[in-house]
Amino acid sequence: MTGRTHWAVGTASALGVLQPQGVREWAICAGAAAVGAVICDVDVSTSDSRAVLNRITVLTVLAVLALGFVEFRWKLGIMDTVSQRSGIPQLLIGAALLLVVCTFGKYQPHRSFMHSIPAWVGLSGIVYFMYPPLMPPFAIAMLSHITIDLLNRKKVRLLYPAKWGLCLGLCTAGGRVNRIMGYAATGLAIVFSAKALLPL
């Protein structure tokens, strides 16, 4: 699936499962989900892998900036809570661990380590260590990425380092199913966001 589809499905999945209420919960959920939804594809090994990695980096930076803007604009207390519950050293250690795992994953074949259950558990654990409320949306979105990649024709090595992989072969990464799934998930993400942000 394309990066846009993964982003839409991951965000819609996290918002739909967690049902955040209010700007603060929505910002945490949507921001963490945006990163979790695309982080798997740091391992893309095609000729446009640099562009894919750049898009993932840009999306991560945009998610952090958006969260910072929401925090500044509405004074939600996210940064105060983060510093009280985690502290700067814990955030820096977590960010370093995240970078190490992603760097390792970048040099593995596509849909192997970064699309595996061990990577999902490990990265989710690191995010929990950094700031626990970020973990559920991150984990849901990352799991959605792995799950919808199973629909494609290239095997996903769920139990890395085992060589065994699984695919259902139902669609191609950029085909009609991808587009339909992307549009539907975007619509759902908008509906779930409106439900979280707008008073009834």
Side-chain angles (χ1 to χ4, degrees), residues 54-101:
N54 287 343
R55 276 185 249 134
I56 291 168
T57 303
V58 166
L59 183 58
T60 301
V61 170
L62 287 176
V64 171
L65 289 175
L67 196 57
F69 172 76
V70 169
E71 168 71 6
F72 174 77
R73 173 67 177 84
W74 285 283
K75 306 284 190 262
L76 303 175
I78 295 171
M79 293 311 297
D80 291 338
T81 305
V82 169
S83 62
Q84 288 171 3
R85 290 180 75 173
S86 298
I88 300 301
Q90 193 167 327
L91 288 173
L92 293 175
I93 292 168
L97 290 171
L98 205 63
L99 184 61
V100 167
V101 173

Side-chain angles (χ1 to χ4, degrees), residues 1-14 29-42 56 59-60 114-115 120 136-149:
M1 302 300 171
T2 63
R4 284 190 199 100
T5 298
H6 280 303
W7 173 81
V9 171
T11 304
S13 297
C29 186
V35 176
V38 297
I39 200 167
C40 295
D41 279 342
V42 298
I56 291 168
L59 183 58
T60 301
M114 288 301 289
H115 287 67
W120 175 65
F138 175 92
I140 291 168
M142 186 174 174
L143 186 60
S144 80
H145 183 124
I146 295 167
T147 302
I148 65 174
D149 269 356

Side-chain angles (χ1 to χ4, degrees), residues 1-197:
M1 302 300 171
T2 63
R4 284 190 199 100
T5 298
H6 280 303
W7 173 81
V9 171
T11 304
S13 297
L15 291 171
V17 170
L18 298 173
Q19 298 286 308
Q21 295 299 313
V23 178
R24 183 178 186 277
E25 285 186 19
W26 175 85
I28 290 171
C29 186
V35 176
V38 297
I39 200 167
C40 295
D41 279 342
V42 298
D43 65 3
V44 172
S45 59
T46 60
S47 59
D48 68 343
S49 60
R50 186 178 298 244
V52 171
L53 186 56
N54 287 343
R55 276 185 249 134
I56 291 168
T57 303
V58 166
L59 183 58
T60 301
V61 170
L62 287 176
V64 171
L65 289 175
L67 196 57
F69 172 76
V70 169
E71 168 71 6
F72 174 77
R73 173 67 177 84
W74 285 283
K75 306 284 190 262
L76 303 175
I78 295 171
M79 293 311 297
D80 291 338
T81 305
V82 169
S83 62
Q84 288 171 3
R85 290 180 75 173
S86 298
I88 300 301
Q90 193 167 327
L91 288 173
L92 293 175
I93 292 168
L97 290 171
L98 205 63
L99 184 61
V100 167
V101 173
C102 289
T103 301
F104 172 77
K106 178 183 174 185
Y107 295 102
Q108 303 308 306
H110 185 42
R111 296 193 183 151
S112 62
F113 173 70
M114 288 301 289
H115 287 67
S116 70
I117 300 301
W120 175 65
V121 170
L123 288 170
S124 298
I126 291 169
V127 171
Y128 182 84
F129 172 77
M130 292 172 72
Y131 182 53
L134 295 175
M135 191 276 287
F138 175 92
I140 291 168
M142 186 174 174
L143 186 60
S144 80
H145 183 124
I146 295 167
T147 302
I148 65 174
D149 269 356
L150 291 171
L151 302 175
N152 291 315
R153 294 180 180 147
K154 182 172 181 176
K155 291 185 177 181
V156 177
R157 289 172 58 188
L158 291 173
L159 300 177
Y160 181 94
K163 299 290 185 189
W164 170 86
L166 176 67
C167 71
L168 301 176
L170 300 176
C171 59
T172 59
R176 180 180 296 168
V177 171
N178 170 72
R179 288 191 300 276
I180 293 169
M181 194 178 295
Y183 291 135
T186 300
L188 285 172
I190 291 168
V191 169
F192 293 140
S193 294
K195 185 177 176 187
L197 299 171

